[in-house]
Amino acid sequence: PVPGRCAYFVARKKRFCKMIPAPGRRFCGEHGQQEEESDRKRIPCPLDPKHTVYEDQLQKHLKKCNSREKPKPVYFVQDINAGLKDVAEIPEKQVPISSLSKEELENLIIKLKNASNGLELHLEEQILSHQALQEALNDPKNGESAFKHLKQQASILGNMEKLHLLGPGRCFVEFGAGRGKLSHWVDVALQNVDNVQFLLVERATTRFKVDGKHKRRNSVFERLQVDIQHLCLNKVPILEKKKLPVVGIGKHLCGAATDLALRCLVESYTTCSDGQSEEPAPKRSRNDKTEVASNNSADNESNKDDCKPVAGIVIALCCHHKCDWTHYVGREFFKSVGLGPVEFHYFQRMSSWATCGMRETTTKAPTNEGSEDQTNDTEEHERTFSKTERGSDTLQGILTVEERKEIGCLCKLLIDRGRIEYLQQRGYKAALQYYTESAVSLENVLLTAVPSPSLIPEPTT
């Protein structure tokens, strides 16, 4: 080797490495490891055996390993929004739908249709838009996938505006925020509004976040890396300090995450002017451990100026096949129509049939055009549907594609109806509507709720 150069012979190039090693070393940083490895032993990391570490550097590694247990934030309260605590009511593992006999499947369908009697089967269309997204919607640089996301976000903002939820003195909590696109557009829509805060709730670390685009001084963005199941909004410092009414939002909030978010908003968060935390006025019966619908409109009116509960909820629903009886908020509704955890298990699986016959046009690989978070919404959700429906192919001799689609839609509607009943019993005026065309998204139902009476308390400015 050349004096002062690395002594490692590169066989592929038939010459010695030309890099300059550190003083006193024979090899450069890259090739020095190969010499050292003969004397040093690598062992699996005790925190995460998926990676290894030098044995003599183990203690140093444990202090900085990404798999180490991190201190819990103040707003982490174990299972505060989990729901069902009675283990006896949690169903045992059920057999797949494809293993059911024809008679068993027919009995399930009969139960489904009986429970659906009297429900409004045709939802109202509320396909709206918002001026904040017009420039982006008209930008030819956005590809088809990005355009579809923009149309959904525009309609969500349009529905929020119709419910008078876009205004000053509010804290917008985006559940399942991902890259934070929905909050970004709400921020754009409120560019001339003061005293606005955003909490972006996401349990996973997220790449390509759009948080850096928020340049306004009069809006505050904060990320909460926590599972919704353990999130206590009352203990989030920024809410504890300013006591702002909350608007819960979400775009394609998967399955049980929607139920966790509803319970997080409705049961574990209400801020009163005296700083005392209690249930929303419509559910004042919590002290006596009962849950009844509130008819005390006079009480609501008298407390309207004192209490600032959740000002509204706007969530685009998604992935009903990922729902879980343990977390589901509509269990009382299911029981009231003669159903239980066993039926729920099958109905949540059958809900994926709502997309039967439409898969060919939606599972194509999306283009690379556009800057929207297409992999977070389109690819992930469509891929999950495909996996769920594989077993349903065995039912082709029993049910046609159209019949499966109709049954799947009924299952989704029944699950969503339980959520509406849950909100109504707690004094909210709740509704379901189509917020976009099925060609834009197969998951095109939006759940909205505002306190009842629907006059939302005047926010603080």
Side-chain angles (χ1 to χ4, degrees), residues 93-123:
K93 188 175 181 179
Q94 305 293 326
V95 298
I97 295 176
S98 56
S99 300
L100 295 177
S101 67
K102 182 177 180 180
E103 183 180 357
E104 289 173 324
L105 183 61
E106 288 174 347
N107 287 336
L108 271 177
I109 295 173
I110 291 172
K111 286 185 178 182
L112 173 65
K113 292 184 176 180
N114 287 340
S116 303
N117 283 338
L119 298 184
E120 180 56 56
L121 302 181
H122 302 287
L123 304 182

Side-chain angles (χ1 to χ4, degrees), residues 129-139 142 149-155 157-158 181 185-186 188-189 372:
S129 190
H130 196 278
Q131 185 62 35
L133 288 94
Q134 288 310 303
E135 183 178 347
L137 284 167
N138 296 326
D139 188 349
N142 286 319
H149 285 290
L150 289 168
K151 286 195 71 174
Q152 293 174 67
Q153 289 154 347
S155 185
L157 262 66
K181 273 290 190 178
W185 289 117
V186 173
V188 173
E372 291 295 313

